[in-house]
Amino acid sequence: MTDQCRKRLNKERQSHYRKKQKINYNAGIKRYELGRMDQMCIHCGGKFWINERNQKSSQASPSFTICCAGGKVNLPPLLKPPSYLLDLYTLPGPIPNSFRKNIRAYNNLLACTSFGANIDERFQRQGISNFQIHGQVYHRIGSLLPEVGHSPMFAQLYIYDTEHENENRQSIIQDLNNDIL
């Protein structure tokens, strides 16, 4: 792993544990209200706001094509998640609550690549995770084998030292539940 990669990972870990400053994000920004997302595509059932309708359709009889191209694209329904995973998302209790609190860490730990972009930090707030990207999104994958003296990470966890995958993952982010992993 290069020094640049190591510095970036260290910076990401530190920013995860640091408390963010209180900034007034609404100063000078006018809120735009979209209304209810109560419109549906007659072909696929996709949900939309009324302002997302085709420009040539009326408000009384809106049509939408950005979802399924007016019925030309037909995707199979999503598979039901395994019951254990569904329980982690929906049930109350200490283990599901911990999972939901750390869901981003679990996702990052199980990723084979690292997401990269020039992110505008002004839009980072508590609540639903959102951010604004300037420029291009890219993925860092790194080498298939860790450098000498370094622990495996990302895709290396699945290729190198597969007998100790979970231990290697735990060494990256220690606060996660090993049973969930």
Side-chain angles (χ1 to χ4, degrees), residues 81-93 95-97 99-100:
S83 60
Y84 178 70
L85 186 58
L86 188 60
D87 290 347
L88 288 173
Y89 280 111
T90 58
L91 292 180
I95 293 175
N97 287 344
F99 172 74
R100 289 188 295 267

Side-chain angles (χ1 to χ4, degrees), residues 14-179:
Q14 288 175 357
S15 68
H16 180 272
Y17 293 105
R18 259 190 260 143
K19 290 187 177 180
K20 303 231 179 206
Q21 296 176 4
K22 298 265 181 182
I23 300 172
N24 184 2
Y25 291 100
N26 297 325
I29 299 173
K30 183 180 176 190
R31 183 180 177 137
Y32 182 76
E33 182 60 45
L34 296 173
R36 295 181 57 93
M37 185 187 266
D38 57 358
Q39 303 297 310
M40 289 184 74
C41 172
I42 60 170
H43 303 287
C44 69
K47 291 184 177 182
F48 294 95
W49 285 281
I50 189 66
N51 289 343
E52 292 181 297
R53 73 184 185 280
N54 293 340
Q55 294 300 317
K56 295 180 180 178
S57 67
S58 67
Q59 257 189 306
S61 181
S63 66
F64 305 92
T65 57
I66 59 173
C67 49
C68 65
K72 293 177 186 171
V73 176
N74 187 11
L75 296 175
L78 294 174
L79 299 174
K80 275 184 87 172
S83 60
Y84 178 70
L85 186 58
L86 188 60
D87 290 347
L88 288 173
Y89 280 111
T90 58
L91 292 180
I95 293 175
N97 287 344
S98 173
F99 172 74
R100 289 188 295 267
K101 177 182 171 202
N102 296 303
I103 195 165
R104 189 169 185 178
Y106 283 107
N107 188 50
N108 289 341
L109 195 57
L110 295 170
C112 288
T113 64
S114 174
F115 174 84
N118 183 7
I119 298 173
D120 187 343
E121 298 285 339
R122 294 179 301 155
F123 293 93
Q124 303 262 331
R125 301 185 205 169
Q126 288 184 345
I128 297 173
S129 179
N130 61 57
F131 53 90
Q132 182 173 356
I133 295 174
H134 298 282
Q136 181 175 340
V137 173
Y138 51 92
H139 293 275
R140 297 180 185 109
I141 191 163
S143 65
L144 293 179
L145 296 175
E147 291 183 20
V148 177
H150 292 94
S151 300
M153 54 185 25
F154 302 118
Q156 297 167 352
L157 292 168
Y158 304 98
I159 296 167
Y160 175 81
D161 195 15
T162 56
E163 291 181 19
H164 302 101
E165 285 179 30
N166 273 347
E167 292 90 18
N168 291 333
R169 288 187 195 120
Q170 273 306 111
S171 70
I172 296 170
I173 303 177
Q174 292 85 20
D175 299 336
L176 301 181
N177 185 324
N178 200 29
D179 293 332

